[in-house]
Amino acid sequence: MKKLETEIIGYLKDMFSQGNMPKRVIISFISIIIMGLGISLFSVSGFGVDPFTSMNMNIASAFGIGFGTYQLIVNAAILLYVILIAHRGLVGIGTVFNMIGCGYACEFFQSIFQPFVQNNYTLAVRIPLLLAGIVTLCFACSLFFTANIGVGPYDALGFMLSRKTKLPHKWVRIITDVTVILIGLIISGGMTAVFSGDFSEIRNIGIGTIITAFCMGPLINLFNKTVSSKILNRNYEKIGKEVAVFLIKGACLKNAKPIAANPEMDLYSNPYSILK
C-alpha cells in the first residue's frame, strides 16, 4: 500500500511540475474528442479503422457490447499491466483521457454520421469520409503527442515491449498491430470468411487499416511542425521523426531524476537534451 501511495505522489509531482500544464491538459482532452471524430469517420467510410480499434470493434460486436465500454475495459486492463510492469513516465492524465474518452467519442460521432451515410453509401461519399478521417485522426494524434502528458494504453504497451525485447519500436508496433487484427478476426468469425473467400463478411478492416498502420507518420509530423508546436509554442522539428523516442527517454529520465528535485531536467522546456 505504501508503494502504491508513493507511485501516486510521483505521478502527481511529475505531472504538475512540468511547464504550461493547464493548457496541455485542455489540448490533450480536446485531442481525444477529435480523435474519436476521426475514428468515426474512418468507421462509417467502410474502409476499415486502425488495428487496435478494429480488434475492439470486432470483439465488442461479437459479444454484443458497446464499443466505448469494451474499449474502456481493454484499455484499463492494458493500463494496469503497464503500471505494474513499466515506468510511470509513460502514464499521465492524457492516458486516462485516451482510455475513457476515445471509444465513447467515436460511438457518439458514429451515431450521428451513420444514418446519413446509410442513405448514400457510394464511393463518392465514402472516399471523402476516408480522407477526412485520415486528416482528422493525424491532427488529433499530433495534438495528443505534443501535449505530452501520457500516452494511450495501447501505445504504452508497444513502448514497453520495445524496451523489454530490445526491438525497434516501429517493428514492435507492426507486430502488435498484426496481432490485434488477427485476434479481432478470429473472435468475430472474420478469419473463417477469409478462408472461405467471402471478404464481404470482414468488418472494420480495409485500406483504412493499412493507412493507419503504415502511412500516418509523415502527416502527423507535418501537423507537429505546422500546427501543434505553434499552439504550445514549442519547436518539435528535431523529434518529429520519432515521437516514441522522446516519450520513452523522457519517461526514463523522469524516473531516474525526479523533476521536483531537478527542475532543469524538465523535458518539456528542453526536449532536445535527451537526443544529444
Side-chain angles (χ1 to χ4, degrees), residues 26-232:
I26 292 171
I27 288 174
S28 180
F29 179 78
I30 292 173
S31 75
I32 295 302
I33 305 299
I34 300 173
M35 201 176 294
L37 171 61
I39 294 171
S40 71
L41 290 170
F42 262 109
S43 181
V44 297
S45 75
F47 286 113
V49 292
D50 66 274
F52 185 57
T53 303
S54 166
M55 178 189 74
N56 291 337
M57 282 185 169
N58 281 334
I59 295 177
S61 177
F63 286 100
I65 305 172
F67 166 63
T69 301
Y70 180 79
Q71 179 135 316
L72 173 59
I73 294 170
V74 172
N75 277 335
I78 294 174
L79 183 60
L80 179 62
Y81 179 71
V82 170
I83 289 175
L84 293 175
I85 304 298
H87 37 68
R88 70 172 183 246
L90 289 173
V91 181
I93 192 168
T95 310
V96 178
F97 290 159
N98 187 292
M99 178 180 74
I100 298 174
C102 194
Y104 287 116
C106 175
E107 268 193 326
F108 171 75
F109 288 115
Q110 194 166 349
S111 68
I112 295 174
F113 298 138
Q114 195 70 52
F116 295 101
V117 175
Q118 281 177 341
N119 297 328
N120 190 21
Y121 204 60
T122 63
L123 285 178
V125 172
R126 294 173 60 201
I127 291 175
L129 284 172
L130 173 65
L131 296 176
I134 292 169
V135 173
T136 304
L137 187 57
C138 287
F139 175 56
C141 290
S142 174
L143 287 177
F144 185 74
F145 291 150
T146 304
N148 188 28
I149 50 173
V151 301
Y154 180 64
D155 296 315
L157 180 64
F159 295 150
M160 186 185 69
L161 290 174
S162 176
R163 185 168 173 243
K164 293 287 184 183
T165 61
K166 310 299 183 186
L167 288 173
H169 176 260
K170 63 180 179 180
W171 294 114
V172 171
R173 186 58 184 249
I174 290 173
I175 292 169
T176 55
D177 282 350
V178 170
T179 300
V180 296
I181 288 173
L182 290 175
I183 291 172
L185 278 173
I186 292 168
I187 295 179
S188 67
M191 192 62 76
T192 303
V194 170
F195 286 120
S196 65
D198 188 9
F199 296 104
S200 63
E201 290 299 313
I202 298 173
R203 297 287 182 266
N204 304 309
I205 297 173
I207 187 65
T209 311
I210 297 172
I211 290 172
T212 55
F214 297 102
C215 308
M216 285 175 57
L219 189 53
I220 291 174
N221 288 337
L222 177 64
F223 278 124
N224 284 345
K225 292 185 286 185
T226 59
V227 181
S228 302
S229 60
K230 295 187 185 329
I231 292 174
L232 283 163

Side-chain angles (χ1 to χ4, degrees), residues 17-18 253-254 256-267 269:
S17 60
Q18 297 181 60
L253 264 176
K254 283 198 286 185
K257 297 181 180 181
I259 294 170
N262 258 326
E264 69 275 11
M265 295 304 292
D266 183 352
L267 294 173
S269 58

Side-chain angles (χ1 to χ4, degrees), residues 244-275:
V245 172
F246 175 70
L247 293 169
I248 294 172
K249 291 189 177 180
C252 293
L253 264 176
K254 283 198 286 185
N255 282 325
K257 297 181 180 181
I259 294 170
N262 258 326
E264 69 275 11
M265 295 304 292
D266 183 352
L267 294 173
Y268 188 71
S269 58
N270 186 19
Y272 308 134
S273 61
I274 62 174
L275 300 177

Side-chain angles (χ1 to χ4, degrees), residues 224-225 229-230 232-240 271-272:
N224 284 345
K225 292 185 286 185
S229 60
K230 295 187 185 329
L232 283 163
N233 195 27
R234 290 293 181 268
N235 179 9
Y236 276 78
E237 187 172 359
K238 291 186 180 179
I239 61 172
Y272 308 134

